[in-house]
Amino acid sequence: MTQPSVIFVDDDPHILQAMAQTLTLEDLPVSCFEGAAEALKTITADFEGIVLCDYNMPGMDGLQMLEQVRAVDDSIPVIILTGQGDISTAVTAMQQGAYDFIEKPFDHEELIELLRHALEKRHLALENRRLKAQLRQMAKPGPRILGDSPSMQKVMATIDPILDISANILLHGETGSGKDAMARYIHENSPRSAHNFVAINCGAVPENLIESELFGHEAGAFTGADKRRIGKIEHAHKGTLFLDEVESMPMPLQIKLLRVLEEQKVERLGSNQVQDVDVRIIAATKADLKKLSDDGEFRADLYYRLNVVKVDIPPLRERKEDIPLLFHHFVLIAAARYDRESVPLDAGQAARLMQRSWPGNVRELRNLAERYVLLGPAALDENEPGSEGDISGRQTLAEMMDSFERTAIVSALNACHGSIKDTMVQLGIARKTLYDKMKKHGLDKAQFKD
């Protein structure tokens, strides 16, 4: 059921019926109640609409309802209907926080205009609230996780509840899908953020050096070890150790890492003393570690130790609706880095990007955004490897229409820096139509503010 834009309260059933018909014809969803107490049960702090109520009502009058609504959320606009003899009461209502009052009998157009203005104020209040919450997150160091596609919402629903605990996490995703950024996001939004985030790519360090890199060594432990070196695990004490490409870790080292996880102690090469460590492990892999462990190519006991919480990061081709937002974000970064102008995509350009298969995922998109800033729109005309004959991303006509509609709105919001008024003009649609379509596609104008 669609959430009402207006909650109307009046003890006269005939007025309720007439108002319901009037507001419905004006495309303003309404819920009607004969008493304030019942109406209040439906009002919460995230209610996106407004309240219109009569002043003279049995049980709880308009002023008392105003007080109760403001106790729930003082930014919900309350408009009070008053009789000709209630002007002094209306003034009192305004002083107590009512949005406005309107005198009976009222002018139809005047009421509708007042309701629309009040709704706009309510939407702005909620948007500002969401923006402030986002700014609190963005004020923290580290990368931001962008994207409001269903697949990314599922990822964040898994991540957010475990930020404050020290459970080990296994990130699984294709190359370039953002595993490193996700690991840094988890660390920077956890209680461990005041301590070190230590990353090591297990596939990039030669096998004969990785043990020393992880565990450290004492002076003289081997040829060339002329002084003590603290290893990555010890350096990550009270912080986070990120093991990228963990499937590449040599089997003998897997045994030693398992012991560290079980005992929370580390022993440097060439030393007989153990050091206590408190480390959260975030491991990342593009492989199927379960299959590797079943095949004996990765230790099963280590797999289960790392896989306390598993997070599957979707490839970009499965979150195409996030592409315009991500591309715009990367363009802004590149424009600042190279001191170039940031030129937003038009709807056609964004739609073409959404039709690509993106084998390199977010990393490939970021690189294209940099070329776009340096070379202009010509960078978007580069042939995509593997695009010919690729049917994996085929969509139905309805899906393509939805994708194009969302892309057009995202592009307009980007170009207008989140201004609803300017976006309405650019797209040639009414405010309510724009709000409805933004809600349909999960868009929030705060995402597009500079």
Side-chain angles (χ1 to χ4, degrees):
M1 182 177 178
T2 302
Q3 189 180 52
S5 296
V6 180
I7 287 179
F8 177 52
V9 187
D10 196 299
D11 60 321
D12 188 329
H14 299 293
I15 295 179
L16 285 179
Q17 183 179 8
M19 187 67 75
Q21 293 175 347
T22 297
L23 297 185
T24 301
L25 290 172
E26 290 291 341
D27 205 15
L28 291 171
V30 59
S31 289
C32 296
F33 299 88
E34 291 188 14
E38 287 300 312
L40 285 168
K41 294 177 182 178
T42 67
I43 299 174
T44 61
D46 59 355
F47 173 55
E48 297 185 2
I50 61 175
V51 175
L52 174 66
C53 67
D54 191 21
Y55 168 66
N56 286 307
M57 297 185 295
M60 184 185 300
D61 65 23
L63 286 182
Q64 291 171 319
M65 183 172 188
L66 168 64
E67 182 181 0
Q68 293 293 320
V69 172
R70 287 179 60 80
V72 175
D73 184 346
D74 61 8
S75 69
I76 296 176
V78 178
I79 300 171
I80 296 180
L81 294 173
T82 65
Q84 291 182 346
D86 296 326
I87 298 302
S88 62
T89 303
V91 173
T92 302
M94 295 291 287
Q95 292 172 342
Q96 294 180 6
Y99 177 77
D100 209 337
F101 68 92
I102 189 165
E103 188 178 352
K104 298 177 182 177
F106 50 80
D107 179 83
H108 171 86
E109 293 184 0
E110 179 184 348
L111 175 63
I112 296 303
E113 183 179 6
L114 182 61
L115 293 176
R116 293 196 188 281
H117 286 164
L119 272 172
E120 182 176 357
K121 180 181 180 181
R122 177 59 177 161
H123 291 155
L124 286 172
L126 290 174
E127 287 167 3
N128 287 336
R129 186 179 300 168
R130 286 190 286 264
L131 178 58
K132 288 178 180 178
Q134 290 177 353
L135 288 174
R136 284 194 293 270
Q137 288 295 323
M138 293 177 184
K140 298 178 180 179
R144 288 175 285 162
I145 303 300
L146 298 177
D148 53 14
S149 60
S151 57
M152 284 307 295
Q153 289 178 4
K154 182 178 178 181
V155 168
M156 299 313 295
T158 303
I159 289 295
D160 287 342
I162 59 173
L163 291 175
D164 293 337
I165 60 178
S166 294
N168 296 329
I169 298 174
L170 179 63
L171 303 178
H172 176 261
E174 296 178 4
T175 299
S177 58
K179 299 186 291 294
D180 179 89
M182 182 63 71
R184 292 178 186 275
Y185 173 85
I186 294 170
H187 172 77
E188 295 295 352
N189 289 277
S190 76
R192 295 177 175 268
S193 60
H195 302 281
N196 292 330
F197 176 86
V198 181
I200 182 170
N201 188 316
C202 301
V205 181
E207 186 171 341
N208 62 327
L209 294 179
I210 190 170
E211 183 175 6
S212 174
E213 281 290 309
L214 278 173
F215 293 88
H217 60 255
E218 297 289 346
F222 51 84
T223 303
D226 53 354
K227 60 181 180 180
R228 172 187 290 178
R229 187 177 188 281
I230 301 299
K232 301 290 188 184
I233 298 174
E234 196 173 344
H235 188 53
H237 178 55
K238 294 187 177 180
T240 303
L241 177 66
F242 177 50
L243 300 174
D244 200 5
E245 297 189 26
V246 70
E247 73 276 8
S248 304
M249 182 177 289
M251 191 66 73
L253 200 57
Q254 293 180 30
I255 300 172
K256 295 193 68 172
L257 178 62
L258 179 63
R259 183 178 177 186
V260 171
L261 293 177
E262 291 175 341
E263 300 178 0
Q264 290 290 290
K265 297 180 184 293
V266 66
E267 184 177 324
R268 304 185 195 114
L269 297 180
S271 173
N272 293 320
Q273 295 182 339
V274 295
Q275 309 292 326
D276 291 330
V277 289
D278 172 15
V279 177
R280 181 189 211 172
I281 304 290
I282 300 178
T285 180
K286 60 179 179 292
D288 184 344
L289 277 193
K290 180 64 169 64
K291 185 177 185 305
L292 291 179
S293 66
D294 291 343
D295 294 342
E297 298 179 31
F298 194 87
R299 287 190 64 92
D301 44 8
L302 178 59
Y303 166 72
Y304 289 112
R305 275 286 183 176
L306 296 175
N307 190 33
V308 177
V309 178
K310 184 182 180 185
V311 179
D312 290 301
I313 301 177
L316 194 56
R317 63 180 175 276
E318 294 180 6
R319 46 182 296 216
K320 290 188 174 182
E321 53 267 59
D322 291 334
I323 288 175
L325 176 63
L326 287 167
F327 189 85
H328 180 66
H329 172 70
F330 293 138
V331 163
L332 291 176
I333 293 174
R337 178 185 305 156
Y338 299 117
D339 194 23
R340 294 289 185 91
E341 183 182 1
S342 169
V343 180
L345 297 173
D346 61 34
Q349 291 169 328
R352 282 161 47 206
L353 292 184
M354 292 175 69
Q355 295 305 311
R356 293 192 179 189
S357 59
W358 298 105
N361 292 296
V362 177
R363 184 180 298 142
E364 181 183 356
L365 182 68
R366 182 185 62 205
N367 292 340
L368 178 60
E370 289 202 6
R371 294 198 298 275
Y372 174 76
V373 168
L374 295 172
L375 304 177
L380 304 179
D381 296 330
E382 299 174 0
N383 292 326
E384 179 197 7
S387 61
E388 293 296 326
D390 180 14
I391 62 172
S392 61
R394 281 185 179 172
Q395 297 175 300
T396 65
L397 178 60
E399 290 171 336
M400 286 189 286
M401 294 292 287
D402 272 350
S403 293
F404 183 82
E405 180 180 79
R406 189 183 195 280
T407 300
I409 295 171
V410 168
S411 297
L413 285 166
N414 277 330
C416 299
H417 308 291
S419 167
I420 295 297
K421 181 179 179 181
D422 293 343
T423 303
M424 290 164 47
V425 174
Q426 180 163 324
L427 295 176
I429 58 178
R431 181 182 297 274
K432 185 180 185 305
T433 302
L434 177 57
Y435 272 121
D436 287 345
K437 291 184 180 298
M438 288 173 65
K439 186 173 183 179
K440 169 187 172 183
H441 295 295
L443 300 174
D444 184 342
K445 79 169 191 177
Q447 299 170 304
F448 306 93
K449 295 287 187 181
D450 287 342

